[in-house]
Amino acid sequence: MAERQWRSIDIATNEIREYASKVGIETAWDRLEAQEPQCGFGKLGICCRNCLMGPCRIDPFGDGAREGICGATADTIVARNLLKHICAGSAAHSDHGREVIHALLLAAEGKSEAYKIRGRSKLYALADEFGIARDGRSDEAIAKDLALLLLGEFGRQEGTLLNLARAPEQQRKNWEAVGACPRGIDREIVTALHTTTVGVDNDPEHILMTCARAALADGWGGSMIASDVSDVLFGEPQPLRSRVNLGVLKEDEVNILVHGHEPTLSDVIVAAASDPELLALASAKGAKGINLAGICCTANEILMRHGVPIAGNFLQQELAVATGAVEVMLIDVQCVFPALAELQSCFHTKVVSTSPKARFPGAVHIEFHEDAAYETAKEIIRVAIENYPNRDRAKVKIPRVEEKLVAGFTTEVVHRILGGRYRPSYRPLNDGIQAGRLRGVAGVVGCNNPRFPVDNCHVELVKELIRNEVLVVQTGCSAIACAKAGLLTPEAAMKFAGKGLQEICRAVGIPPVLHVGSCVDNSRILTACAEMVKEGGIGTSFDKLPVAGAAPEWMSEKAIAIGMYFVASGIFVVIGQPLPVQGSPMVTEFLTKTMEKQFGATWAFEADPIKAARLMIDHIDRKRRELGLPGPMYEVPYAPKTAEEEPRARPEVLEAVGAGR
Amino acid sequence: MKRIVADPRKCLACRGCELACAMAHASTDDLARMIAEQASKPRIYIESAGGLAVPLQCRHCDDAPCVRVCPTSALSRQGPTAPVRSDQTKCIGCAFCVEACPFGVIRLAAARGSAVLGNGKVVLKCDLCETRVAQGLAPACVAACPVSALRFEDVDQGAKNARVRTAMAALAGFADGRE
């Protein structure tokens, strides 16, 4: 493939990708080339495989078939396909949430040694919020009530999701007005999938409203519950320092990578990795220690809570194995390439699948069950240690590339870092926005996609936003991309941010780009927006806020669900490649224009990161004008600052982050 | 002369060739914009016959009936081995060529830059991707085919390949049949 198509701004990625290519190891980019040209019907969304009278396709040129065999038009087919994607995305996040509740229940019932309630203040806050009595009751008793209550949200048959009460009153009214309030989490997904079967819902606009509800059940249901319960069980994240990129792998230690999404096993792996018995075994095998690092959102979960370094994001999963220095790649669910198993024939790495839900042909399967978490964790680490002597030193190629980062920001943490321990508040944030020192806030999230050079769009978009005084919050692989580019450090404010954002970062001691966690933690962005509304002065519902979202290199169905719950919550979202809907001008129009009327926000499709940033900034400026807020306090020059410019980091700013471990 | 050769036994009717053909002749490289363009139509057709899908496009006949019947020289060829070209600016939309073509692979479609006024339609046919081929690329439909049902090859070479295949099969027959 032409080099310009994949050359990343991340030199570690380029180095290993070139090496893999040279020695003939097949990676995602090679497989993309074999797939090209990709099917236009799929890209346009006008292929229907929902019944076996078909498959049917609509002729995009208007000469041939205008309807499927049942009579479904391009509009219906496109809308239905989008709904199926959203259901899959919502299901993924929500099932993740359910697993974490199961682990909390085990902890509450004392049935697992591995799980303890480590986020007591979050437990109490949730108990108070949901009316669970806690006078004189043990943490375990409270946690059990909480776990059972939240499990009930999945099968809820009446009323709407409890978490909707967290949204501003006007926001709830907006949803009620268009009938978008999600009922039970599972119910929304099941009902939606019912409506996509042959001959059920055929009104494209009605299907798109179902899309919104199924997505809201993710954002305000499954994902939000996953974040909350993870905080109760594994502890609330606090700002901390760590490192990122393939350079975190170690030449002389047993390297274990965790990859996937759920924290239930990886969090226990963190504890087991310091087990004296295992450390002794590692030493006996000639290793200096056990080095744990992560890929994708499992990595983000244990980064946020334990500062475990991150080896890479989505498109680095194969490259990490190709360093030849990984003893075990532990995988659970979501975003894991089945291609990893094939790499075992080139390297000594053992790919260990652990989820009862997800098998990978060729991988070693050591099934993980919450009730025997610690034993399983130890067993997997033992496999890694035993595999260490098999490492072929001649094949080891660890790029000497790593970057520092600060992570661990949450809705609650922002309260404290802004307002101080005794007067936690979002007031300084709202003040900053109202005065124009800050232009607004943007969430930049989502995947990597081999159709784009790894990380480039994330990093360019985020740099352009912070240069224009927009505070950025990030999750998932997007956060990892920007971490690799050094944007998740307080120094980055001095290097890349506009003057107003610099002042805020310096005063509070934060990076201009805040890592708020894994992809289920996008729900933290929703609760943070709710806090901004509650603090007052910048709008009574989300669609009034000077905020915007983006997923520049998205590829997963989960990203569609996330984008849709943000748009349906009133937040403008720009994505890189278009949704697979353009075979229907009506659906495209609905998503990019009409939704403004029902939800106060729309989608936009823009692959160029600088143009995408411009769309977001223009949107933020429009919201500022509607709120009667002044323009930015400092004029931003048009030409972007370059990375080569002299950094002006100050030691006191580095110290201000303080909480690093 | 190289021609586009189709193998109906391999074709899965994905219609990727149709999209690629329209794309290669569009004024944009954006799929969504392309399909919205009136003048962007494929010049290759997938027709079904007896359970098989058969890709069809201009055969660039040596003695082309379309060239013979065209009253305005909108259809022409520059030399004995050149593809049959169409010039939409000369076309008057009489449809003689459509009637004359034994394969039905010429159509009238909305014009791009034609002399025909109003909603008039003009000739649209395969140009053997002359610009792509000049750059050393295969025609767009051939490049797009995911199962190699379409090939771009010299007809003589194709015949030679077929003879070699037949010879190999015959040889195998001899080897199995006799001492």
Side-chain angles (χ1 to χ4, degrees):
Chain A
M1 189 180 290
E3 188 175 285
R4 64 184 165 76
Q5 281 179 284
W6 60 263
R7 182 154 284 275
S8 169
I9 48 168
D10 173 21
I11 53 176
T13 293
N14 292 338
E15 186 180 329
I16 300 296
R17 153 81 185 148
E18 273 157 27
Y19 161 70
S21 184
K22 204 167 73 192
V23 298
I25 297 162
E26 190 188 80
T27 54
W29 295 273
D30 303 305
R31 294 189 295 271
L32 169 61
E33 198 176 355
Q35 282 295 332
E36 282 176 335
Q38 290 171 297
C39 177
F41 293 93
K43 282 188 192 167
L44 295 168
I46 45 178
C47 168
C48 179
R49 294 183 296 131
N50 295 10
C51 89
L52 267 291
M53 291 193 292
C56 292
R57 279 167 306 174
I58 304 302
D59 182 357
F61 303 109
D63 298 326
R66 285 157 194 261
E67 294 169 346
I69 297 168
C70 68
T73 59
D75 301 337
T76 302
I77 291 171
V78 163
R80 263 192 328 216
N81 288 344
L82 184 69
L83 179 53
K84 274 179 177 280
H85 284 313
I86 287 174
C87 284
S90 291
H93 292 139
S94 300
D95 212 35
H96 166 164
R98 190 193 338 253
E99 296 299 325
V100 189
I101 304 179
H102 282 151
L104 178 64
L105 201 54
L106 285 176
E109 291 172 341
K111 287 184 185 161
S112 169
E113 282 180 35
Y115 301 119
K116 297 272 183 298
I117 293 154
R118 296 196 169 85
R120 186 178 287 158
S121 58
K122 183 87 173 211
L123 173 69
Y124 296 164
L126 291 170
D128 292 348
E129 180 181 348
F130 295 128
I132 296 168
R134 57 185 181 92
D135 291 345
R137 300 178 74 204
S138 70
D139 288 354
E140 285 71 24
I142 301 167
K144 185 171 178 177
D145 282 1
L146 178 69
L148 292 174
L149 177 85
L150 293 177
L151 269 183
E153 290 293 274
F154 288 81
R156 172 181 284 281
Q157 300 297 327
E158 284 171 15
T160 54
L161 294 179
L162 294 174
N163 281 340
L164 296 187
R166 293 177 177 183
E169 191 187 352
Q170 184 56 46
Q171 186 63 41
R172 295 198 301 273
K173 283 184 184 159
N174 294 354
W175 286 326
E176 276 162 25
V178 293
C181 296
R183 301 154 294 182
I185 298 163
D186 291 352
R187 195 256 167 96
E188 290 303 344
I189 297 167
V190 170
T191 301
L193 284 174
H194 169 199
T195 66
T196 66
T197 58
V198 57
V200 185
D201 195 4
N202 292 289
D203 176 349
E205 195 161 325
H206 192 247
I207 297 167
L208 290 163
M209 297 306 281
T210 309
C211 286
R213 211 167 44 233
L216 287 169
D218 175 359
W220 292 87
S223 282
M224 201 172 272
I225 289 173
S227 297
D228 281 344
V229 176
S230 294
D231 288 353
V232 172
L233 191 56
F234 304 118
E236 287 183 75
Q238 300 295 335
L240 46 72
R241 289 167 182 273
S242 188
R243 293 165 300 124
V244 61
N245 219 336
L246 294 172
V248 305
L249 296 171
K250 294 195 175 153
E251 298 260 7
D252 49 5
E253 295 191 20
V254 176
N255 289 311
I256 301 174
L257 289 184
V258 294
H259 173 26
H261 280 75
E262 294 181 354
T264 40
L265 174 56
S266 54
D267 206 273
V268 182
I269 289 272
V270 177
S274 52
D275 189 301
E277 182 197 328
L278 292 172
L279 287 171
L281 181 62
S283 173
K285 295 285 176 186
K288 289 208 174 129
I290 301 170
N291 181 40
L292 201 58
I295 308 254
C296 283
C297 281
T298 291
N300 284 323
E301 296 276 358
I302 55 175
L303 163 72
M304 291 282 283
R305 298 193 176 85
H306 305 288
V308 172
I310 291 193
N313 48 0
F314 178 64
L315 278 178
Q316 285 180 299
Q317 56 183 292
E318 292 174 290
L319 306 183
V321 175
T323 62
V326 177
E327 273 61 51
V328 156
M329 168 84 93
L330 183 164
I331 53 181
D332 52 59
V333 290
Q334 299 173 22
C335 299
V336 181
F337 282 171
L340 287 177
E342 182 59 31
L343 287 177
Q344 294 175 119
S345 62
C346 310
F347 299 97
H348 77 302
T349 305
K350 282 199 162 70
V351 176
V352 180
S353 59
T354 56
S355 168
K357 293 168 202 163
R359 296 281 184 111
F360 294 75
V364 182
H365 190 71
I366 301 177
E367 195 155 299
F368 164 69
H369 295 282
E370 282 95 343
D371 52 357
Y374 197 71
E375 290 72 40
T376 314
K378 278 179 77 174
E379 186 187 345
I380 294 168
I381 295 174
R382 208 172 280 123
V383 168
I385 298 169
E386 300 285 352
N387 197 23
Y388 180 73
N390 298 329
R391 191 192 288 183
D392 180 351
R393 303 277 151 185
K395 279 189 183 172
V396 172
K397 191 173 172 58
I398 304 173
R400 293 273 151 258
V401 181
E402 63 169 71
E403 187 56 67
K404 283 182 280 187
L405 69 91
V406 177
F409 295 94
T410 63
T411 308
E412 294 84 351
V413 162
V414 171
H415 254 121
R416 285 194 293 276
I417 57 173
L418 287 174
R421 187 183 295 255
Y422 299 104
R423 199 169 43 80
S425 163
Y426 269 63
R427 195 65 253 160
L429 177 64
N430 286 27
D431 278 347
I433 291 172
Q434 285 174 288
R437 187 168 270 114
L438 268 186
R439 205 168 198 145
V441 183
V444 181
V445 307
C447 333
N448 292 131
N449 187 327
R451 288 194 197 162
F452 297 93
V454 182
D455 301 347
N456 291 20
C457 298
H458 292 297
V459 174
E460 285 178 32
L461 172 62
V462 168
K463 274 189 189 167
E464 183 66 5
L465 288 172
I466 59 177
R467 191 177 74 83
N468 283 284
E469 317 283 22
V470 178
L471 176 69
V472 174
V473 294
Q474 291 208 280
T475 62
C477 287
S478 186
I480 301 174
C482 292
K484 283 189 278 176
L487 298 179
L488 271 59
T489 58
E491 299 92 310
M494 306 306 137
K495 222 164 156 182
F496 301 111
K499 196 166 172 229
L501 179 55
Q502 266 184 23
E503 287 174 0
I504 299 235
C505 291
R506 198 182 308 146
V508 186
I510 52 170
V513 182
L514 304 180
H515 190 338
V516 301
S518 67
C519 42
V520 293
D521 291 331
N522 282 314
S523 61
R524 298 191 198 277
I525 302 175
L526 295 176
T527 50
C529 286
E531 294 296 334
M532 286 163 70
V533 171
K534 201 191 287 174
E535 191 57 47
I538 49 174
T540 52
S541 57
F542 296 151
D543 56 302
K544 304 284 187 291
L545 294 172
V547 299
E553 298 176 26
W554 78 278
M555 60 88 210
S556 164
E557 289 174 307
K558 295 182 290 170
I560 306 184
I562 294 167
M564 191 54 125
Y565 73 62
F566 273 104
V567 173
S569 298
I571 296 166
F572 174 64
V573 171
V574 187
I575 58 172
Q577 60 175 340
L579 289 171
V581 299
Q582 291 183 302
S584 162
M586 179 259 146
V587 173
T588 309
E589 166 103 5
F590 183 92
L591 296 170
T592 57
K593 293 202 177 81
T594 323
M595 278 188 87
E596 179 87 39
K597 279 185 229 125
Q598 284 102 330
F599 296 97
T602 65
W603 293 80
F605 310 146
E606 179 53 64
D608 181 317
I610 300 299
K611 287 184 191 160
R614 213 59 252 176
L615 288 174
M616 296 166 81
I617 294 162
D618 288 348
H619 174 84
I620 286 170
D621 285 350
R622 178 157 72 90
K623 293 296 163 187
R624 293 187 65 89
R625 281 195 302 278
E626 286 168 9
L627 290 165
L629 298 178
M633 191 177 282
Y634 302 106
E635 200 158 317
V636 177
Y638 180 73
K641 280 189 187 181
T642 59
E644 288 72 39
E645 239 174 88
E646 198 60 31
R648 281 174 287 149
R650 292 147 197 251
E652 68 270 22
V653 177
L654 306 183
E655 284 316 304
V657 178
R661 290 174 198 176
Chain B
M1 176 192 178
K2 277 185 164 184
R3 283 193 168 89
I4 295 165
V5 179
D7 184 347
R9 291 167 302 180
K10 285 187 177 171
C11 179
L12 294 173
C14 74
R15 296 178 184 265
C17 53
E18 292 186 358
L19 287 178
C21 175
M23 203 72 210
H25 297 95
S27 64
T28 166
D29 56 1
D30 182 280
L31 182 63
R33 280 201 202 108
M34 183 274 284
I35 60 168
E37 268 181 15
Q38 274 286 315
S40 296
K41 298 281 182 194
R43 300 126 192 253
I44 182 167
Y45 308 84
I46 304 295
E47 295 297 339
S48 66
L52 285 180
V54 188
L56 294 163
Q57 82 297 107
C58 175
R59 308 292 311 160
H60 299 279
C61 309
D62 274 352
D63 181 12
C66 56
V67 174
R68 282 217 239 157
V69 299
C70 182
T72 61
S73 302
L75 290 163
S76 66
R77 70 182 332 146
Q78 304 306 308
T81 59
V84 174
R85 274 192 197 160
S86 60
D87 182 347
Q88 294 194 330
T89 59
K90 287 186 184 168
C91 179
I92 55 173
C94 72
F96 256 19
C97 55
V98 179
E99 291 166 32
C101 177
F103 309 103
V105 291
I106 304 181
R107 69 155 120 182
L108 296 186
R112 199 199 310 277
S114 131
V116 175
L117 296 172
N119 293 325
K121 293 192 168 178
V122 290
V123 62
L124 188 79
K125 66 177 283 299
C126 167
D127 60 358
L128 218 57
C129 279
E130 277 191 283
T131 17
R132 283 179 59 93
V133 172
Q135 293 162 8
L137 299 167
C141 56
V142 174
C145 184
V147 293
S148 304
L150 293 172
R151 296 188 308 277
F152 187 51
E153 63 182 28
D154 191 277
V155 279
D156 290 337
Q157 188 57 47
K160 169 83 175 164
N161 292 346
R163 287 199 297 277
V164 170
R165 278 198 305 275
T166 311
M168 298 290 277
L171 192 65
F174 279 119
D176 291 346
R178 291 187 199 159
E179 283 300 305

